């Protein structure tokens, strides 16, 4: 609430500074590319066209050359590559340093990254180094037609409002975006662009952390954001022992189990199975919501699902408003009946 202090912290745009271009930080870790990187190249294309500037990708890691053609195929015109053994395993400090140095050198106007574990960790560290603002967890991006500033929209005040934020006084404008809220762009095989290789200006001894071991998460829940069919449960289920009703339906459909924060806090599910504002954003082909009220914090994580089926005994429940099929009834009767019917097919 001290506006003067907040302003003083932001680095003003120096006279004569030219900040240009939309950049997407492509997340590559343990040999895997986070698909949100491609979603952001698709969204970045629209932003770059609205401003009239270029679209670039940044790839940091060790032995990343296989990622470069993919970045072009998904729409990057130019790719900055920071390839060094120090960047083998993700760690905040070397990644933040490497990306910050390239940003300082080329001065992009906008930089975007997925609101993944890595994006949520490294982007604040980069924003602090650059002394600029960061809007985390955006669900909508746009360009203000008058000022050409990035409109960064995200849930605020516990999800009760959607706030659109502009970063007026510092550059670059930085945002993380939730996976699966932006559409995947068309992949064009063989598209080419410019490659710019950057050296790192630090050594291993500059850092305080070392990766000792990777422990894989439970495979079932780790891939929630890629599941095609999700059966999600809420507090309407009343007790953990009733989870079996949802599990039986999920088994017949080959679906993945997820749930609300209520279900997670009740100890029925793990946190990585939570859908919503403080959990995972999902975009399955089918989302079946069982005994879920449809609080805004839950809806922001699932409302872009292709097809939503909701079962709730309250005809006024908010989830029924976003559902393609709403079934008003007792889940203890409806869900077993659905399972029995699907078993026949
Ligand atoms: P309830 O709201 O209690 O709903 C239970 C529903 O079950 C009701 O609609 C009821 O009609 C129905 N029901 C009851 N019995 C039956 C029956 N026999 N048959 C059919 N239907 C029945 N929530 C999330 O889910 N994800 C988040 O990421 C998240 N983040 C949050 C972040 C913040 C900052 C805050 C403040 C809240 C967050 N929440 C989140 C919590 C959210 O506000 C809700 O409290 C939560 O989603 C409610 O969970 P629920 O739908 O399981 O429970």
């Amino acid at each position: 609430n001290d506006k003067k202090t907040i302003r003083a912290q932001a680095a003003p745009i120096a006279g004569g500074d030219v900040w240009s271009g939309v950049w997407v930080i492509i997340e590559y870790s343990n040999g895997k590319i986070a698909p949100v990187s491609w979603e952001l190249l698709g969204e970045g294309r629209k932003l770059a066209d609205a401003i009239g500037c270029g679209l670039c990708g940044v790839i940091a890691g060790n032995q990343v050359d296989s990622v470069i053609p993919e970045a072009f195929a998904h729409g990057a015109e130019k790719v900055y590559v920071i390839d060094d053994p120090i960047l083998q395993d993700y760690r905040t400090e070397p990644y933040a340093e490497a990306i910050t140095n390239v940003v300082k050198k080329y001065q992009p106007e906008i930089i975007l990254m997925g609101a993944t574990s890595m994006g949520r960790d490294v982007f604040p560290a980069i924003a602090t180094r650059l002394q600029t603002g960061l809007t985390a967890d955006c669900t909508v991006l746009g360009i203000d037609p008058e000022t050409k500033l990035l409109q960064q929209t995200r849930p605020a005040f516990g999800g009760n409002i959607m706030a659109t934020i502009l970063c007026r006084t510092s550059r670059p404008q930085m945002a993380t975006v939730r996976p699966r809220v932006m559409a995947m762009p068309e992949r064009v095989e063989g598209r080419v662009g410019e490659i710019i290789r950057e050296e790192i200006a630090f050594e291993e001894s500059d850092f305080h952390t070392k990766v000792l071991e990777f422990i894989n998460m439970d495979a079932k829940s780790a891939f929630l954001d890629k599941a095609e069919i999700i059966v999600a449960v809420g507090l309407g289920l009343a007790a953990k022992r009733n989870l079996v009703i949802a599990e039986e339906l999920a088994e017949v459909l080959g679906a993945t189990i997820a749930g609300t924060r209520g279900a997670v806090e009740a100890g029925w599910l793990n946190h990585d199975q939570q859908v919503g504002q403080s959990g995972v954003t999902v975009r399955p082909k089918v989302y079946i919501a069982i005994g879920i009220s449809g609080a805004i914090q839950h809806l922001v994580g699932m409302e872009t699902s292709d097809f939503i089926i909701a079962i709730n005994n309250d005809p006024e429940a908010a989830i029924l408003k976003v559902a393609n099929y709403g079934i008003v009834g007792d889940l203890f009767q409806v869900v077993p009946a659905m399972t029995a019917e699907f078993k026949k097919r």
Side-chain angles (χ1 to χ4, degrees), residues 3 6-7 10-14 19 109-110 131-135 143-152 164-174:
K3 281 189 183 159
I6 292 166
R7 284 225 179 105
I13 310 161
W19 296 81
E109 165 113 60
I110 292 171
Q131 298 221 318
T132 189
L134 163 65
T135 308
I143 296 295
D144 182 73
E146 244 174 66
T147 59
K148 300 284 183 201
L149 289 171
L150 179 66
Q151 294 170 321
Q152 307 160 67
T164 297
I165 296 161
L166 300 179
C167 176
R168 291 184 189 279
T169 55
S170 57
R171 291 291 180 278
Q173 301 164 81
M174 290 180 65

Side-chain angles (χ1 to χ4, degrees), residues 158 234-236 260-262 274-279 291-295 297-298 311-314 317 329-332:
L235 288 175
T260 62
R261 179 155 120 176
Q274 179 181 318
V275 171
Q277 183 186 321
S278 45
I292 292 177
S293 57
Q297 297 89 349
H298 186 76
I311 301 125
N312 199 301
N313 61 4
D314 174 6
D330 183 358
L331 68 90
F332 297 101

Side-chain angles (χ1 to χ4, degrees), residues 168-211:
R168 291 184 189 279
T169 55
S170 57
R171 291 291 180 278
Q173 301 164 81
M174 290 180 65
T176 60
V177 178
R178 296 201 137 218
R180 299 218 147 204
V181 293
M182 308 296 180
M184 184 62 81
E186 192 195 342
R187 184 182 178 283
V188 181
E189 180 77 45
R191 192 156 47 188
V192 289
E194 188 183 349
I195 303 170
I196 299 179
R197 292 188 185 270
E198 291 294 320
E199 298 294 320
I200 55 163
F202 45 74
E203 291 169 10
E204 186 58 53
S205 56
D206 294 330
F207 303 113
H208 302 96
T209 52
K210 195 164 125 184
V211 175

Side-chain angles (χ1 to χ4, degrees), residues 2-65:
D2 182 348
K3 281 189 183 159
K4 273 188 187 155
T5 313
I6 292 166
R7 284 225 179 105
Q9 284 171 349
I13 310 161
D17 269 5
V18 179
W19 296 81
S20 171
V22 175
W23 280 20
V24 173
I25 310 299
I26 295 163
E27 181 178 330
Y28 181 66
S29 171
N30 284 334
K32 288 195 193 106
I33 304 163
V36 64
S37 312
W38 308 145
E39 294 162 17
L40 289 179
L41 277 177
E43 188 65 17
R45 177 79 275 151
K46 292 183 210 157
L47 302 175
D49 288 348
I51 301 172
C53 66
L55 174 66
C56 307
V58 178
I59 308 167
N62 186 26
Q63 301 192 331
V64 297
D65 276 6

Side-chain angles (χ1 to χ4, degrees), residues 40-327:
L40 289 179
L41 277 177
E43 188 65 17
R45 177 79 275 151
K46 292 183 210 157
L47 302 175
D49 288 348
I51 301 172
C53 66
L55 174 66
C56 307
V58 178
I59 308 167
N62 186 26
Q63 301 192 331
V64 297
D65 276 6
S66 61
V67 187
I68 300 170
E70 285 303 305
F72 291 136
H74 287 90
E77 296 158 18
K78 197 187 279 184
V79 174
Y80 296 91
V81 179
I82 318 164
D83 201 337
D84 194 280
I86 291 185
L87 302 172
Q88 166 67 32
D89 297 317
Y90 172 73
R91 286 174 295 164
T92 318
E93 283 179 293
Y95 270 73
E97 282 298 318
I99 296 168
T100 303
N101 290 341
V102 181
V103 170
K104 277 186 180 161
K105 186 167 167 187
Y106 294 99
Q107 302 201 321
E109 165 113 60
I110 292 171
I111 52 175
L112 308 174
M113 189 168 179
T116 57
S117 305
M118 193 198 285
R120 284 173 175 171
D121 185 59
V122 79
F123 248 35
I126 296 171
T128 308
R129 283 166 169 79
L130 293 168
Q131 298 221 318
T132 189
L134 163 65
T135 308
D137 265 6
C138 293
T139 51
V140 181
L141 296 176
I143 296 295
D144 182 73
E146 244 174 66
T147 59
K148 300 284 183 201
L149 289 171
L150 179 66
Q151 294 170 321
Q152 307 160 67
T153 303
R154 55 154 293 153
F157 296 109
N160 289 313
I161 62 158
M162 296 299 283
T164 297
I165 296 161
L166 300 179
C167 176
R168 291 184 189 279
T169 55
S170 57
R171 291 291 180 278
Q173 301 164 81
M174 290 180 65
T176 60
V177 178
R178 296 201 137 218
R180 299 218 147 204
V181 293
M182 308 296 180
M184 184 62 81
E186 192 195 342
R187 184 182 178 283
V188 181
E189 180 77 45
R191 192 156 47 188
V192 289
E194 188 183 349
I195 303 170
I196 299 179
R197 292 188 185 270
E198 291 294 320
E199 298 294 320
I200 55 163
F202 45 74
E203 291 169 10
E204 186 58 53
S205 56
D206 294 330
F207 303 113
H208 302 96
T209 52
K210 195 164 125 184
V211 175
L212 299 179
E213 188 189 357
F214 276 98
I215 300 165
N216 284 329
M217 290 158 72
D218 169 21
K220 251 189 180 172
S221 49
F223 298 112
L224 188 59
D225 61 348
K226 296 178 192 72
E228 297 218 321
I229 307 176
I230 290 177
V231 170
V233 298
L235 288 175
L237 215 55
K240 187 173 185 174
R241 64 175 181 280
N242 297 328
L243 200 56
V244 66
I245 298 175
E247 284 169 345
E248 279 170 3
L249 177 62
E251 197 175 328
V252 178
L253 297 174
T256 307
I257 293 277
T260 62
R261 179 155 120 176
V264 171
E265 283 179 349
W268 306 345
L269 302 174
N270 298 326
H271 181 258
D272 53 23
Q273 293 174 286
Q274 179 181 318
V275 171
Q277 183 186 321
S278 45
V280 186
T281 301
V282 296
R283 202 175 189 171
K285 290 199 172 124
V286 182
Y287 190 90
I288 304 178
I290 302 173
I292 292 177
S293 57
I296 182 73
Q297 297 89 349
H298 186 76
L299 297 184
V300 293
M302 48 65 72
E303 63 191 344
T304 54
S305 302
D306 289 351
F307 201 85
I308 300 168
I309 301 168
I311 301 125
N312 199 301
N313 61 4
D314 174 6
E316 300 300 319
I319 192 82
L320 296 171
K321 298 190 175 69
V322 300
N324 301 85
Y325 282 157
I327 304 172

